[in-house]
Amino acid sequence: MERRLMVEVNDVVVLNKDVEVVPAVIIEEGTVGSVIEETVPYYFKVKFFGNKVYWVDGKHLDVIIK
């Protein structure tokens, strides 16, 4: 069974593992960002440090502030 979190727009999230968001661009575990958009199936547009924005699979996100 796959883990599903209740991630929503405007939540502050942290990556729970290293994630390759585009070829050759890896964001490290523990990086904090803010969710700015949601799409199906369970992908979120997250704004990270330096105003970088990437789509991330929700299974790699942990909510730290709702």
Side-chain angles (χ1 to χ4, degrees):
M1 183 171 161
E2 191 171 332
R3 183 172 144 219
R4 293 290 181 195
L5 300 174
M6 299 305 291
V7 179
E8 298 176 353
V9 173
N10 297 322
D11 286 353
V12 176
V13 294
V14 63
L15 289 175
N16 57 28
K17 66 178 272 184
D18 291 353
V19 176
E20 185 172 23
V21 289
V22 294
V25 175
I26 296 173
I27 299 182
E28 295 179 353
E29 176 181 357
T31 303
V32 176
S34 177
V35 177
I36 57 176
E37 192 175 334
E38 178 180 0
T39 191
V40 178
Y42 205 64
Y43 270 77
F44 299 90
K45 188 182 278 187
V46 181
K47 184 178 188 179
F48 292 103
F49 54 89
N51 292 325
K52 302 287 184 179
V53 178
Y54 299 105
W55 286 100
V56 179
D57 189 330
K59 69 182 178 186
H60 302 306
L61 300 173
D62 290 328
V63 177
I64 55 175
I65 300 175
K66 281 260 184 218

